[in-house]
Amino acid sequence: MSILPPPPPQGDLPPPPALPQIGEMMNTHAVNPWVALAYLIAGVLFILALRGLSSPSTSRMGNRFGMAGMLIAVVTTLVTHDIAGLGETLIAIGVGGGIGWLIARRIAMTDMPQLVAAFHSLVGLAAVLVGWAAFLNPSAFDLLVVGDIIQAGNLVGIGTTIAAASRIEMALGVAIGAITFSGSVIAFLKLAGKMSGAPILLPGRHVINLGIIVAIVVLTALFATGNVAQGEYFAALTVLAFIVGFLLIIPIGGADMPVVVSMLNSYSGWAAAAMGFTLHNTAMIITGALVGSSGAILSYIMCRAMNRSFISVIAGGFGADSSGASGDAVKTDRPWKRGSAEDAAFMLKQAENVIIIPGYGMAVAQAQHALREMGDMLKAEGVNVKYAIHPVAGRMPGHMNVLLAEANVPYDEVFELEDINSEFAQADVAFIIGANDVVNPAAKTDKGSPIYGMPVFDVGNAKTVMFIKRSMGGAGYAGVDNEVFYMDQTMMLLSDAKKMVEEIVKALD
Amino acid sequence: MTFIAILSIFVMACFVGYYVVWSVTPALHTPLMAVTNAISSVIIVGALIASAEAGSAAAKWLGLIAVVLASINIFGGFAVTERMLAMYKKKERPAPPTARDDAAGKGSRS
């Protein structure tokens, strides 16, 4: 691309006025310490933005810090670069910002997982585009170095090319960005129900994926070591990264989505960090590292909450082979008790302590508002109501917390698994709505169960268990039968979650 | 900046990220994802440079598209985070003016 055998120079790049030493970066823009400082401040503000999230009371301040950091980064960039096309740039910001703002205003809280997945895909695609822009116009990003031009083994001259280190960083950024993009698109389609959430298993997929990843690494090496940056390698690795992102997420099932969404969150961060290395921009590096570690930690928390290794989640296919499992035969001929909304209302009113366990089914049924109403009525009767949330309830980390917050449930009534699990022994009613696997005692007792080892709520310790479920047919996501259905103290409330809660509310009145 | 200087910043930021993110309360994990999404769009810095600098028309257009995508994320991410965070309320909130909520406020909770 930019071989410049001097003299005379050719191509679209101006020759450097004075050739620096071979291998040395050419500074076409003088680095202003104030600019570097501004990016550093932006990075620190982003750290403070995450720090604010340690408590709901400081979180909004944190979000403002984040906005301020972004404003500083954008304004700094605009004022320190040739702003020939400022109009177009501002229009682009306006168009994108308008779309983003509208989406953010309109989105239903139950749709947050797919929105986040969609946003991840945009970061990934932006990273790919920036990487390619840097490749096509390296002088704009100060990426050129002077080096020997060797053709067919002969030194034919000296010219400028993209530094090898920059090429590796660009390739990494573009590859991770492309994986983030196509992976997030699949995650979005699955979460939005536009594509079956069931795992799609291709034969030999591990071999294919590994092969593609190896190919990407090889192409990166070829791209970096050539004496000029060759677009063919760069294009090939971009395409392969798009394909592998798609293949990686296709085999992962719906309930593993919390891990996938966190993982893609992490990837989008690493992509930004890699571009930050290319551009020598502290704000991007700090942010990329923050987001990358944030997503990685969330993935870890999600995996731990399912007692599954990260590798096994990524390898995919969980729950795919459970259709005809042993549970079905047992389930039909075991006795269980069915309750009505009136029975449930009566018992809830008599109770002293009630613990509500919401799950993904509550989100699907949009039952959170009705549930909060029920909780308020019980509190008016003097009942002590608490909400218990499992880390993997829902389709993304913290999904249930947001839905309950949306329904005006005060956050100090909402507890995490380890904080509330000991309280079931004192609870009169454990009220399970739209959850299943997270209360299944098989996770503690049955070594053969696919969910064995997963931390679960000890609902069996409660005096009464109320279990809202559509029908006795479908087991949980893991496809395993649940002992809780058949316990003496369990009352099955078979109905749509929202309808059932509304009926209970009516009966409480 | 030398590569080592940049790498140092990166490694330190990873550690900062590690400790800061562990201190985030699990109840706010969804807003955490939304806000990290917004800030990772700081990649707009690269997009702006590409769109502003002369030299390659293709790079300019790629840059402009990237600016649009990153802007969707920035505005969308911060706005949706703000919307979510506004919903997190403590129990001792100013009572809404409905009778039912007033009654709920008097509920006996230890």
Side-chain angles (χ1 to χ4, degrees), chain A residues 414-491:
Chain A
V414 182
F415 296 86
E416 302 300 317
L417 171 68
E418 58 264 37
D419 297 331
I420 202 170
N421 217 2
S422 59
E423 293 186 26
F424 281 100
Q426 287 89 49
D428 300 292
V429 178
F431 189 88
I432 303 162
I433 171 167
N436 189 348
D437 291 338
V438 297
V439 297
N440 194 337
K444 291 206 162 134
T445 54
D446 179 6
K447 283 207 164 102
S449 167
I451 59 168
Y452 180 72
M454 173 171 155
V456 289
F457 291 114
D458 298 323
V459 290
N461 295 341
K463 288 195 194 75
T464 305
V465 177
M466 296 185 187
F467 208 123
I468 300 190
K469 202 169 174 313
R470 277 184 170 279
S471 69
M472 285 304 282
Y477 171 71
V480 280
D481 204 13
N482 195 338
E483 278 301 311
V484 172
F485 302 159
Y486 316 111
M487 293 190 313
D488 286 340
Q489 75 263 45
T490 301
M491 180 195 273

Side-chain angles (χ1 to χ4, degrees), chain A residues 2 4 13-31 138-147 158-163 166 280:
Chain A
S2 57
L4 302 176
L13 301 164
L19 285 181
Q21 290 297 298
I22 284 174
E24 189 184 310
M25 286 280 181
M26 298 193 315
N27 268 326
T28 47
H29 302 105
V31 178
S139 68
F141 295 87
D142 294 338
L143 299 179
L144 294 178
V145 288
V146 180
I158 295 178
T160 58
T161 183
I162 304 174
S166 303
H280 295 195

Side-chain angles (χ1 to χ4, degrees), chain B residues 58-71:
Chain B
K60 191 181 167 74
W61 280 107
L62 291 181
L64 276 177
I65 298 171
V67 169
V68 174
L69 298 180
S71 303

Side-chain angles (χ1 to χ4, degrees), chain A residues 315-369:
Chain A
F318 187 63
D321 49 9
S322 58
S323 47
S326 54
D328 296 50
V330 195
K331 151 178 352 168
T332 44
D333 48 21
R334 292 181 60 182
W336 50 275
K337 281 191 294 259
R338 180 172 189 157
S340 69
E342 288 72 27
D343 303 338
F346 179 76
M347 294 182 76
L348 284 168
K349 220 185 256 187
Q350 304 300 314
E352 203 172 313
N353 293 303
V354 172
I355 300 178
I356 299 174
I357 303 167
Y360 182 57
M362 179 193 80
V364 174
Q366 301 266 17
Q368 64 269 29
H369 298 279

